[in-house]
Amino acid sequence: MKKEHSLILKAVLQNKSEKEIREIDKILDSNLDWIEIAGIALNHRLGGYIYKGLNTSQQKKMPKEVVKALELLVRAQKEQFEENLEEICKVNDALEEAKIKFAVLKGAFFGCEMYEKGTRRSNDIDLLVYEDDLGKLDTCLRAMGYIQSNMSNGEMVEATKKEKIIQRMNYHDLVPYVKKTKMGILELDINFLFDGNKNLIDKNVYEMGTMVYKGRYRITGLNPYTNLAFLCCHFYREATDTIWTEGKRDVTLYKIVDMMNFIRFYREQINYDIMIEVLKKLNIEKKAYFTFKIMTEFYEYEFLSEMLSRLDEYKSGDDEMKAIHDTKNKTTIYRDETFFEKTFARG
């Protein structure tokens, strides 16, 4: 692995060990291509992770202009998150009061629970909402000033009935709910399927329970087991369908980093036996195996190897690991390079 890639993958991690810190120091003391590092950081939305992930003495080993640019980026991301946070809390409280089954997902969850302000850029707020409660959700959000809009040509116009149907059929979510704020347009992305329409497990997920997190901020989320299971489903979906792979959304590195940091953050709370039991109950063993296997292209970590060992009977063959469903042409195509190679490929 190139030392530039190694530095990025180590710098973005949370809760580093002393060994990892020493490894970063050693890399920083060598000659590095900072143009490549900065380009990857920006292209993969990792600038804040790197800046926040390096200590003061390590930052002093970076080119000053790179540090200044990252400082500005982190400041802007912090301001954006603070405004989003205010809305996350308002929406969270309103949905709880309306007795809607829901959970805060992905970037909004990570920002509230795992990361310091400014670490991560989040373009929207993702929620998982029980399908039977979508009517109540619509009433609740419209009372808060939201409408459903695809923002065509940058205009905040209510989506047509046809647009709403196509969104549900093709993407298994809703046309975003949007609202004007001081920072611009805030978008709520509503997921109503935990997995796909061929594996309707949402009732099971809610029976396993959501939980109220009372760390830095009070939010309702999935428990650590179903949260990680959702991340596996989400990663698998975007990695195996041309709807997402054509725009290289499958190999945007921050997604791998978020999952790795989630595992490290909740490692002491996740029991292997219970995790396997949850994956089996939700019928997503193969998707979890796929996700953990791809993660090992980037990271060596005991949790990943242990999960792969326990999921060995569900492992995918080489063709399955490379297969991508071509939605437009209704056929299957295959990757000609690994995830790691495509992630760090130029262009």
Side-chain angles (χ1 to χ4, degrees):
M1 184 187 300
K2 291 179 67 174
K3 55 190 176 182
E4 288 81 6
H5 300 167
S6 182
L7 174 63
I8 291 167
L9 291 173
K10 293 178 188 297
V12 297
L13 292 175
Q14 300 279 295
N15 306 324
K16 296 181 185 68
S17 66
E18 288 299 320
K19 180 185 176 188
E20 288 169 332
I21 293 171
R22 289 195 300 271
E23 289 170 345
I24 291 172
D25 284 331
K26 184 177 180 180
I27 298 172
L28 285 170
D29 287 334
S30 65
N31 292 322
L32 294 167
D33 183 346
W34 283 99
I35 293 176
E36 180 174 8
I37 293 169
I40 292 171
L42 293 177
N43 191 41
H44 290 271
R45 291 168 52 174
L46 294 176
Y49 297 71
I50 292 172
Y51 181 82
K52 290 286 190 178
L54 297 178
N55 60 39
T56 303
S57 64
Q58 290 169 340
Q59 289 180 7
K60 288 179 180 178
K61 298 178 181 181
M62 299 168 63
K64 288 184 179 179
E65 291 305 316
V66 173
V67 175
K68 288 179 181 178
L70 293 182
E71 283 177 348
L72 287 173
L73 175 68
V74 167
R75 195 179 305 165
Q77 290 182 170
K78 180 180 179 182
E79 185 178 348
Q80 180 200 46
F81 178 73
E82 286 174 341
E83 179 163 335
N84 285 358
L85 175 62
E86 183 179 345
E87 194 65 19
I88 291 168
C89 294
K90 286 180 181 178
V91 170
N92 189 94
D93 293 346
L95 269 55
E96 281 186 354
E97 188 175 343
K99 301 190 184 309
I100 293 170
K101 295 187 181 74
F102 78 100
V104 177
L105 298 173
K106 296 161 54 183
F109 178 87
F110 299 143
C112 289
E113 272 293 295
M114 285 171 26
Y115 295 136
E116 290 183 34
K117 292 178 182 178
T119 300
R120 189 185 192 278
R121 189 186 95 210
S122 188
N123 297 326
D124 47 39
I125 299 171
D126 286 277
L127 300 174
L128 179 69
V129 179
Y130 194 45
E131 190 167 10
D132 289 353
D133 288 343
L134 291 179
K136 287 196 292 183
L137 174 80
D138 185 76
T139 300
C140 188
L141 293 181
R142 290 185 187 278
M144 298 178 69
Y146 287 91
I147 68 167
Q148 279 186 277
S149 176
N150 283 316
M151 297 299 296
S152 300
N153 301 317
E155 296 180 4
M156 194 169 145
V157 178
E158 182 74 29
T160 65
K161 184 176 181 180
K162 181 179 179 180
E163 287 175 326
K164 294 176 184 179
I165 291 172
I166 290 173
Q167 184 76 20
R168 288 187 70 150
M169 288 178 60
N170 289 351
Y171 297 93
H172 310 308
D173 58 15
L174 304 184
V175 169
Y177 283 84
V178 297
K179 176 181 177 179
K180 287 184 179 178
T181 69
K182 290 180 290 184
M183 293 285 287
I185 302 296
L186 179 63
E187 179 179 307
L188 296 185
D189 284 341
I190 309 300
N191 302 265
F192 58 87
L193 291 181
F194 186 95
D195 190 13
N197 59 0
K198 294 181 180 179
N199 187 32
L200 300 176
I201 52 176
D202 298 85
K203 185 177 180 181
N204 293 347
V205 170
Y206 286 103
E207 285 175 351
M208 292 179 189
T210 56
M211 59 185 287
V212 176
Y213 290 82
K214 298 179 181 179
R216 284 175 289 178
Y217 312 102
R218 185 184 180 282
I219 58 167
T220 298
L222 299 169
N223 67 54
Y225 295 100
T226 50
N227 210 329
L228 181 54
F230 175 82
L231 293 175
C232 289
C233 289
H234 182 72
F235 181 81
Y236 179 87
R237 181 165 62 246
E238 293 198 346
T240 57
D241 197 302
T242 53
I243 290 176
W244 290 279
T245 61
E246 285 182 349
K248 293 188 73 172
R249 285 176 59 181
D250 55 323
V251 290
T252 308
L253 188 51
Y254 76 90
K255 297 174 184 178
I256 294 281
V257 172
D258 283 339
M259 288 191 291
M260 194 68 237
N261 278 331
F262 181 94
I263 290 168
R264 290 166 68 101
F265 191 84
Y266 290 103
R267 178 63 197 92
E268 297 303 315
Q269 298 180 40
I270 298 177
N271 174 276
Y272 287 124
D273 292 332
I274 297 175
M275 189 73 240
I276 294 295
E277 183 182 347
V278 167
L279 295 175
K280 288 183 176 181
K281 280 184 178 179
L282 299 180
N283 192 34
I284 57 169
E285 304 97 319
K286 289 184 74 69
K287 293 174 182 178
Y289 183 93
F290 177 95
T291 301
F292 297 141
K293 183 67 174 176
I294 296 300
M295 291 178 71
T296 62
E297 293 184 21
F298 299 84
Y299 291 105
E300 290 183 13
Y301 195 60
E302 176 263 341
F303 178 89
L304 298 177
S305 57
E306 181 65 24
M307 290 301 295
L308 289 175
S309 175
R310 291 173 180 242
L311 291 168
D312 186 66
E313 63 183 292
Y314 304 100
K315 69 180 179 182
S316 304
D318 288 343
D319 283 348
E320 285 182 279
M321 292 296 296
K322 296 176 182 177
I324 302 172
H325 176 62
D326 186 340
T327 302
K328 188 183 298 182
N329 299 309
K330 296 183 179 179
T331 186
T332 300
I333 59 177
Y334 295 90
R335 296 180 184 276
D336 56 6
E337 54 189 342
T338 67
F339 259 77
F340 188 92
E341 290 167 344
K342 188 176 179 184
T343 297
F344 288 111
R346 293 179 181 269

